[in-house]
Amino acid sequence: MTSEKARAGFNVVLLVIALAGLAAGLGLSLAGKPDFARAAWMAGVVPVLLALAVEILRSLWRGEVGLDVVAALSMSAALAFGETLAAAVVALMYSGGTFLESFAEGRARREMHDLLSRVPRTATRHRDGRLDEVPLDEIAPGDLLLIRQGDVAPVDGVIESERAVLDQSAMTGESMPVRLICGQEVMSGSTNAGEAFDLRASRRAAESTYAGIVRLVEDAQRSKAPMSRLADRYSILFLFVTVTLAVAAWWTTGDPIRAVAVLVVATPCPLILAVPVALVAGLSRAAHFGVLIKGAKPLEALTRARTLILDKTGTLTDGRPQIVSIEAYTALPSTEVLRLAAAADQASKHPMAQAIVAAARAKNMLLPVPTDIGELAGEGVTAVVDGHSVIVGGMDFVMRRIVTPAVLKKPPKAGTALVAVAVDGQLAGLLVLADRLRLEAKDFLSGIRRNGVSRILLATGDRRVVADAVTEGLGLDGARAELTPDQKVLLVLSERKNGPVMMVGDGVNDAPALAAADVGVAMGARGAAASAEAADVVLLVDDLGRLLAGLEVAVRSRHIALQSVAAGIGLSVAGMVAAAFGYLTPVQGSLLQEAIDVAVILNALRALRISPDWPQRITDPPQAAAI
């Protein structure tokens, strides 16, 4: 960041020198002192030319040849043939162009810089009945932290207070604060927009979501896209055409001023200005919608993907068990069955038990504290709730503990799980849980096809019957079930025959396939750290639709870059031809090129205003499943 500021400051100094030299020379010329005017113009040109020479030498040392050579040739030729005013204008044009490019890239990176500047340094920790301000490195999983109003959550954790109101706009693009309740997860980097609350740390600061995002942003800012490298190669071609046209104009007319005019029209080139500005602007815009693209290369790769491979659990589905229905077997109403089961399950950490408790709390049920608790790990829980003997667990666990075993009314559907609830020795009901298809899945799949993806596959380690049940009616091109991690990699590699492959997943087992794909996309909100590290794109919101938003931003950013290049190069070539035929003087040519450069940069910055069709709706995350 410091080097960027130093470079921007140096560009400002060069611009001031060039502007002062040009203005002083014009004043002296109007005062009837042409010799002093030429000296002033030269004084404004020489520092810019020296800085340009140093930059060219650095580029050559790195093995790069760019259009800075054209700028150096045009200024040198103008000075050599006595066109000091034209040289001064070119110096102002070049220093102004570099300043505009630096300003535009800074404007495009502003949202990412804002993200980096919000990194908290300390946290307030509960310890032995008092509050201590401690460095982030000292926070360990299990520590209880106080998040005051306006504080940024320093680590990922779980809410210990009754409720919390969080502003996640910097992380996810959510325009409205979200309301979370006790037991729900908080993403580090979220700002407390309500009253102070307690947070139980679940990860160390260095392993938390926000720290990972900061690292990814810093990597993204250092990246260079294939399109940028393509622009470098085209810039060499443009340099050859420029020099050839300038030499031809001089050779055929014997007038070196025409060659100077051709050179100044080509300085600087829109090709090297438009591409980085548009792509960096696209990265910032995607981050605004909760899509962290790890650089310009993945942004371009997104636009070329033709095959999409989706993991099932946590990607196409929500990844957490939810109650989809309750079947009552006695006179007890279904709501009472749920209340008693949830009260008993407060004593268990099993995912099914937590889903049942969350569903009851979402209905604002008051859950009494269970007594005489007994638990068989992975099987079920027994407890006394409001004087009733309650048993909650798998069918076998419950049936072995009741007086009169019951017969199921209907067999469970594929992909569902049954939790039996017995009250006072009788089967009171069955809770049917399932890892449900995401609400946005169908809209996402249709939208992804509209954006150029022609083939969509499901890849899962689950059984075939479960995969078929989940994908029914989605119109996928295929489903591969019971896959191991290495088989997912083979699927990605085999699908490349149909074009570039995008893989979306969230678990540790997806990381190899994400790394093997042309574009790996990780569900970063609740996914494993390994998948986020292996992926090229990380979704900061647990919403597949955000990928569609990121894809739309990538496509439009690339289109804006190409549009800027085509328009800028076309106008530059037209100006060069006009200068070769004597229709433009060196001063007129330099002014024309400056207008072209300004227009190109402003057009590239349009990528910051891209508004994708998805997501149009931003709502609070669901608190629990519908029953």
Side-chain angles (χ1 to χ4, degrees), residues 518-541:
D518 296 279
V519 186
V521 181
M523 305 292 291
R526 289 190 285 114
S531 62
E533 289 294 330
D536 303 297
V537 180
V538 180
L539 304 185
L540 305 181
V541 184

PDB file of all heavy atoms in Angstrom, residues 518-541:
ATOM      1  N   ASP A 518     -10.921 -25.378 -13.997  1.00  0.00           N
ATOM      2  CA  ASP A 518     -10.475 -24.104 -14.561  1.00  0.00           C
ATOM      3  C   ASP A 518     -10.877 -22.953 -13.647  1.00  0.00           C
ATOM      4  O   ASP A 518     -10.153 -21.974 -13.515  1.00  0.00           O
ATOM      5  CB  ASP A 518     -11.090 -23.913 -15.959  1.00  0.00           C
ATOM      6  CG  ASP A 518     -10.617 -24.964 -16.935  1.00  0.00           C
ATOM      7  OD1 ASP A 518      -9.512 -24.824 -17.470  1.00  0.00           O
ATOM      8  OD2 ASP A 518     -11.356 -25.948 -17.141  1.00  0.00           O
ATOM      9  N   VAL A 519     -12.058 -23.086 -13.027  1.00  0.00           N
ATOM     10  CA  VAL A 519     -12.510 -22.119 -12.025  1.00  0.00           C
ATOM     11  C   VAL A 519     -13.089 -22.905 -10.852  1.00  0.00           C
ATOM     12  O   VAL A 519     -14.088 -23.612 -11.012  1.00  0.00           O
ATOM     13  CB  VAL A 519     -13.596 -21.164 -12.568  1.00  0.00           C
ATOM     14  CG1 VAL A 519     -13.910 -20.092 -11.522  1.00  0.00           C
ATOM     15  CG2 VAL A 519     -13.165 -20.521 -13.862  1.00  0.00           C
ATOM     16  N   GLY A 520     -12.465 -22.809  -9.689  1.00  0.00           N
ATOM     17  CA  GLY A 520     -12.991 -23.444  -8.490  1.00  0.00           C
ATOM     18  C   GLY A 520     -13.715 -22.416  -7.647  1.00  0.00           C
ATOM     19  O   GLY A 520     -13.187 -21.337  -7.384  1.00  0.00           O
ATOM     20  N   VAL A 521     -14.942 -22.746  -7.231  1.00  0.00           N
ATOM     21  CA  VAL A 521     -15.765 -21.823  -6.446  1.00  0.00           C
ATOM     22  C   VAL A 521     -16.081 -22.472  -5.101  1.00  0.00           C
ATOM     23  O   VAL A 521     -16.627 -23.588  -5.072  1.00  0.00           O
ATOM     24  CB  VAL A 521     -17.069 -21.461  -7.179  1.00  0.00           C
ATOM     25  CG1 VAL A 521     -17.888 -20.475  -6.355  1.00  0.00           C
ATOM     26  CG2 VAL A 521     -16.770 -20.879  -8.560  1.00  0.00           C
ATOM     27  N   ALA A 522     -15.765 -21.802  -4.010  1.00  0.00           N
ATOM     28  CA  ALA A 522     -15.999 -22.349  -2.674  1.00  0.00           C
ATOM     29  C   ALA A 522     -17.112 -21.587  -1.981  1.00  0.00           C
ATOM     30  O   ALA A 522     -17.193 -20.362  -2.064  1.00  0.00           O
ATOM     31  CB  ALA A 522     -14.720 -22.274  -1.829  1.00  0.00           C
ATOM     32  N   MET A 523     -17.989 -22.346  -1.314  1.00  0.00           N
ATOM     33  CA  MET A 523     -19.015 -21.731  -0.458  1.00  0.00           C
ATOM     34  C   MET A 523     -18.321 -21.356   0.849  1.00  0.00           C
ATOM     35  O   MET A 523     -18.241 -22.156   1.779  1.00  0.00           O
ATOM     36  CB  MET A 523     -20.155 -22.713  -0.212  1.00  0.00           C
ATOM     37  CG  MET A 523     -20.793 -23.278  -1.479  1.00  0.00           C
ATOM     38  SD  MET A 523     -21.701 -22.037  -2.427  1.00  0.00           S
ATOM     39  CE  MET A 523     -23.073 -21.729  -1.324  1.00  0.00           C
ATOM     40  N   GLY A 524     -17.801 -20.146   0.922  1.00  0.00           N
ATOM     41  CA  GLY A 524     -16.924 -19.768   2.018  1.00  0.00           C
ATOM     42  C   GLY A 524     -17.607 -19.405   3.313  1.00  0.00           C
ATOM     43  O   GLY A 524     -16.953 -19.339   4.348  1.00  0.00           O
ATOM     44  N   ALA A 525     -18.917 -19.134   3.285  1.00  0.00           N
ATOM     45  CA  ALA A 525     -19.598 -18.695   4.500  1.00  0.00           C
ATOM     46  C   ALA A 525     -19.564 -19.769   5.584  1.00  0.00           C
ATOM     47  O   ALA A 525     -19.294 -19.496   6.744  1.00  0.00           O
ATOM     48  CB  ALA A 525     -21.038 -18.307   4.188  1.00  0.00           C
ATOM     49  N   ARG A 526     -19.846 -21.037   5.198  1.00  0.00           N
ATOM     50  CA  ARG A 526     -19.835 -22.131   6.174  1.00  0.00           C
ATOM     51  C   ARG A 526     -18.952 -23.282   5.713  1.00  0.00           C
ATOM     52  O   ARG A 526     -18.894 -24.315   6.351  1.00  0.00           O
ATOM     53  CB  ARG A 526     -21.266 -22.657   6.403  1.00  0.00           C
ATOM     54  CG  ARG A 526     -22.140 -21.703   7.171  1.00  0.00           C
ATOM     55  CD  ARG A 526     -23.451 -22.356   7.585  1.00  0.00           C
ATOM     56  NE  ARG A 526     -24.365 -22.503   6.474  1.00  0.00           N
ATOM     57  CZ  ARG A 526     -24.754 -23.665   5.968  1.00  0.00           C
ATOM     58  NH1 ARG A 526     -24.289 -24.780   6.456  1.00  0.00           N
ATOM     59  NH2 ARG A 526     -25.601 -23.708   4.962  1.00  0.00           N
ATOM     60  N   GLY A 527     -18.277 -23.107   4.576  1.00  0.00           N
ATOM     61  CA  GLY A 527     -17.472 -24.181   4.025  1.00  0.00           C
ATOM     62  C   GLY A 527     -16.143 -24.346   4.747  1.00  0.00           C
ATOM     63  O   GLY A 527     -15.763 -23.552   5.609  1.00  0.00           O
ATOM     64  N   ALA A 528     -15.417 -25.400   4.373  1.00  0.00           N
ATOM     65  CA  ALA A 528     -14.133 -25.689   5.002  1.00  0.00           C
ATOM     66  C   ALA A 528     -13.064 -24.725   4.498  1.00  0.00           C
ATOM     67  O   ALA A 528     -13.099 -24.262   3.362  1.00  0.00           O
ATOM     68  CB  ALA A 528     -13.725 -27.133   4.687  1.00  0.00           C
ATOM     69  N   ALA A 529     -12.085 -24.436   5.383  1.00  0.00           N
ATOM     70  CA  ALA A 529     -11.003 -23.530   5.006  1.00  0.00           C
ATOM     71  C   ALA A 529     -10.201 -24.085   3.841  1.00  0.00           C
ATOM     72  O   ALA A 529      -9.716 -23.335   2.993  1.00  0.00           O
ATOM     73  CB  ALA A 529     -10.096 -23.292   6.213  1.00  0.00           C
ATOM     74  N   ALA A 530     -10.062 -25.423   3.766  1.00  0.00           N
ATOM     75  CA  ALA A 530      -9.289 -26.036   2.685  1.00  0.00           C
ATOM     76  C   ALA A 530      -9.912 -25.750   1.324  1.00  0.00           C
ATOM     77  O   ALA A 530      -9.209 -25.483   0.347  1.00  0.00           O
ATOM     78  CB  ALA A 530      -9.193 -27.546   2.914  1.00  0.00           C
ATOM     79  N   SER A 531     -11.235 -25.802   1.243  1.00  0.00           N
ATOM     80  CA  SER A 531     -11.893 -25.534  -0.038  1.00  0.00           C
ATOM     81  C   SER A 531     -11.743 -24.069  -0.419  1.00  0.00           C
ATOM     82  O   SER A 531     -11.546 -23.740  -1.595  1.00  0.00           O
ATOM     83  CB  SER A 531     -13.379 -25.922   0.033  1.00  0.00           C
ATOM     84  OG  SER A 531     -14.068 -25.150   1.001  1.00  0.00           O
ATOM     85  N   ALA A 532     -11.802 -23.155   0.556  1.00  0.00           N
ATOM     86  CA  ALA A 532     -11.636 -21.730   0.257  1.00  0.00           C
ATOM     87  C   ALA A 532     -10.226 -21.434  -0.227  1.00  0.00           C
ATOM     88  O   ALA A 532     -10.021 -20.601  -1.113  1.00  0.00           O
ATOM     89  CB  ALA A 532     -11.960 -20.894   1.493  1.00  0.00           C
ATOM     90  N   GLU A 533      -9.235 -22.113   0.339  1.00  0.00           N
ATOM     91  CA  GLU A 533      -7.858 -21.893  -0.086  1.00  0.00           C
ATOM     92  C   GLU A 533      -7.624 -22.436  -1.489  1.00  0.00           C
ATOM     93  O   GLU A 533      -6.886 -21.848  -2.279  1.00  0.00           O
ATOM     94  CB  GLU A 533      -6.895 -22.567   0.908  1.00  0.00           C
ATOM     95  CG  GLU A 533      -6.816 -21.888   2.264  1.00  0.00           C
ATOM     96  CD  GLU A 533      -6.210 -20.496   2.185  1.00  0.00           C
ATOM     97  OE1 GLU A 533      -5.379 -20.249   1.296  1.00  0.00           O
ATOM     98  OE2 GLU A 533      -6.582 -19.653   3.017  1.00  0.00           O
ATOM     99  N   ALA A 534      -8.242 -23.567  -1.825  1.00  0.00           N
ATOM    100  CA  ALA A 534      -8.014 -24.194  -3.129  1.00  0.00           C
ATOM    101  C   ALA A 534      -8.786 -23.510  -4.244  1.00  0.00           C
ATOM    102  O   ALA A 534      -8.426 -23.635  -5.412  1.00  0.00           O
ATOM    103  CB  ALA A 534      -8.418 -25.673  -3.063  1.00  0.00           C
ATOM    104  N   ALA A 535      -9.839 -22.772  -3.910  1.00  0.00           N
ATOM    105  CA  ALA A 535     -10.733 -22.198  -4.917  1.00  0.00           C
ATOM    106  C   ALA A 535     -10.177 -20.904  -5.493  1.00  0.00           C
ATOM    107  O   ALA A 535      -9.316 -20.248  -4.913  1.00  0.00           O
ATOM    108  CB  ALA A 535     -12.107 -21.944  -4.302  1.00  0.00           C
ATOM    109  N   ASP A 536     -10.703 -20.546  -6.678  1.00  0.00           N
ATOM    110  CA  ASP A 536     -10.374 -19.275  -7.328  1.00  0.00           C
ATOM    111  C   ASP A 536     -11.372 -18.189  -6.945  1.00  0.00           C
ATOM    112  O   ASP A 536     -11.063 -17.004  -7.040  1.00  0.00           O
ATOM    113  CB  ASP A 536     -10.390 -19.442  -8.855  1.00  0.00           C
ATOM    114  CG  ASP A 536      -9.447 -20.536  -9.321  1.00  0.00           C
ATOM    115  OD1 ASP A 536      -8.234 -20.386  -9.114  1.00  0.00           O
ATOM    116  OD2 ASP A 536      -9.926 -21.546  -9.878  1.00  0.00           O
ATOM    117  N   VAL A 537     -12.572 -18.615  -6.554  1.00  0.00           N
ATOM    118  CA  VAL A 537     -13.648 -17.689  -6.198  1.00  0.00           C
ATOM    119  C   VAL A 537     -14.245 -18.166  -4.875  1.00  0.00           C
ATOM    120  O   VAL A 537     -14.471 -19.368  -4.696  1.00  0.00           O
ATOM    121  CB  VAL A 537     -14.752 -17.651  -7.278  1.00  0.00           C
ATOM    122  CG1 VAL A 537     -15.867 -16.689  -6.879  1.00  0.00           C
ATOM    123  CG2 VAL A 537     -14.162 -17.266  -8.624  1.00  0.00           C
ATOM    124  N   VAL A 538     -14.487 -17.243  -3.952  1.00  0.00           N
ATOM    125  CA  VAL A 538     -15.074 -17.591  -2.661  1.00  0.00           C
ATOM    126  C   VAL A 538     -16.357 -16.784  -2.479  1.00  0.00           C
ATOM    127  O   VAL A 538     -16.347 -15.557  -2.603  1.00  0.00           O
ATOM    128  CB  VAL A 538     -14.101 -17.294  -1.494  1.00  0.00           C
ATOM    129  CG1 VAL A 538     -14.750 -17.658  -0.162  1.00  0.00           C
ATOM    130  CG2 VAL A 538     -12.796 -18.053  -1.682  1.00  0.00           C
ATOM    131  N   LEU A 539     -17.465 -17.482  -2.209  1.00  0.00           N
ATOM    132  CA  LEU A 539     -18.741 -16.819  -1.943  1.00  0.00           C
ATOM    133  C   LEU A 539     -18.821 -16.527  -0.449  1.00  0.00           C
ATOM    134  O   LEU A 539     -18.830 -17.448   0.366  1.00  0.00           O
ATOM    135  CB  LEU A 539     -19.917 -17.698  -2.367  1.00  0.00           C
ATOM    136  CG  LEU A 539     -19.925 -18.167  -3.828  1.00  0.00           C
ATOM    137  CD1 LEU A 539     -21.212 -18.932  -4.126  1.00  0.00           C
ATOM    138  CD2 LEU A 539     -19.770 -17.003  -4.784  1.00  0.00           C
ATOM    139  N   LEU A 540     -18.864 -15.249  -0.101  1.00  0.00           N
ATOM    140  CA  LEU A 540     -18.877 -14.849   1.303  1.00  0.00           C
ATOM    141  C   LEU A 540     -20.257 -14.957   1.918  1.00  0.00           C
ATOM    142  O   LEU A 540     -20.415 -14.812   3.126  1.00  0.00           O
ATOM    143  CB  LEU A 540     -18.367 -13.413   1.440  1.00  0.00           C
ATOM    144  CG  LEU A 540     -16.982 -13.145   0.838  1.00  0.00           C
ATOM    145  CD1 LEU A 540     -16.594 -11.698   1.058  1.00  0.00           C
ATOM    146  CD2 LEU A 540     -15.948 -14.084   1.438  1.00  0.00           C
ATOM    147  N   VAL A 541     -21.268 -15.181   1.082  1.00  0.00           N
ATOM    148  CA  VAL A 541     -22.642 -15.350   1.538  1.00  0.00           C
ATOM    149  C   VAL A 541     -23.074 -16.766   1.197  1.00  0.00           C
ATOM    150  O   VAL A 541     -22.750 -17.291   0.143  1.00  0.00           O
ATOM    151  CB  VAL A 541     -23.581 -14.344   0.846  1.00  0.00           C
ATOM    152  CG1 VAL A 541     -24.987 -14.445   1.394  1.00  0.00           C
ATOM    153  CG2 VAL A 541     -23.048 -12.936   1.010  1.00  0.00           C
TER     154      VAL A 541
END
